[in-house]
Amino acid sequence: MLGHFENWARVALVALVLTLPLGVRADDLLVVVSEGSTLDENQVARVEKAVTAASTAWIGAFNIGDANSAARQYTEDAVMEAKPFGTFTGRTEIEGFWQNIIATGFADVTYILPKLEIVDETTGIISSGWRMNKAFGIITREVWKVQADGQALLVEDRFEILMNR
């Protein structure tokens, strides 16, 4: 039954991506706190600020074609699953993936109706639709961890290309 729901959700996202105006941006972020959380407002704000800044930096780096700066938004041991391309482990493999994508002309990524779930005092998870000049798809799970210096880095990144444009 879940597989049927996932397929329906993908069809709905495709329809949404095709009909949304180009002006929808990452600042349309919906922020939620995990059910049962005991975080106070300051803890939530700290994670939200760090994750939003880091995600914005990743988007900016990708959109100017800077794979190295995009890869620096990941931890050294991060895992990225990019369906249908495969799984990439570590910053070096992840940078190579983004360099290849950028070199083949992919650009102008925009998140569509992103949701940030604050899980605990150091973790935020983004899920979202996305589109760019040559493709669109879904981000099922971007796990950002706030580091000791206050900067958030990706420890896990799972997304899927649903269709090339």
Side-chain angles (χ1 to χ4, degrees):
M1 184 70 170
L2 184 58
H4 176 71
F5 174 76
E6 288 173 349
N7 288 336
W8 178 85
R10 286 185 176 120
V11 169
L13 180 62
V14 168
L16 180 63
V17 168
L18 293 174
T19 60
L20 279 175
L22 291 176
V24 176
R25 295 288 177 199
D27 57 14
D28 296 320
L29 183 67
L30 169 65
V31 179
V32 298
V33 178
S34 291
E35 190 173 324
S37 172
T38 59
L39 297 176
D40 64 36
E41 288 180 23
N42 290 332
Q43 291 169 312
V44 169
R46 178 177 173 265
V47 175
E48 179 183 354
K49 180 180 177 183
V51 171
T52 301
S55 180
T56 300
W58 184 92
I59 291 167
F62 179 84
N63 284 342
I64 64 168
D66 186 349
N68 181 266
S69 291
R72 284 197 314 260
Q73 298 304 315
Y74 293 82
T75 61
E76 287 291 340
D77 60 348
V79 175
M80 183 179 79
E81 180 184 21
K83 291 182 181 178
F85 299 106
T87 301
F88 304 85
T89 303
R91 193 179 282 165
T92 301
E93 283 187 16
I94 291 169
E95 181 178 352
F97 172 83
W98 290 123
Q99 185 60 52
N100 184 51
I101 290 294
I102 290 166
T104 56
F106 288 84
D108 302 321
V109 71
T110 302
Y111 284 19
I112 301 167
L113 303 176
K115 174 184 165 188
L116 169 59
E117 179 181 358
I118 309 294
V119 177
D120 59 34
E121 63 277 352
T122 63
T123 310
I125 300 174
I126 292 179
S127 56
S128 182
W130 62 267
R131 69 174 162 218
M132 62 177 64
N133 63 325
K134 295 174 104 178
F136 61 90
I138 56 173
I139 298 166
T140 54
R141 187 173 171 86
E142 280 184 358
V143 180
W144 295 87
K145 285 282 197 183
V146 179
Q147 308 298 298
D149 65 1
Q151 178 186 359
L153 294 175
L154 275 163
V155 297
E156 178 184 337
D157 187 5
R158 299 187 186 282
F159 63 93
E160 184 173 353
I161 293 178
L162 297 178
M163 184 183 301
N164 287 334
R165 290 169 72 144

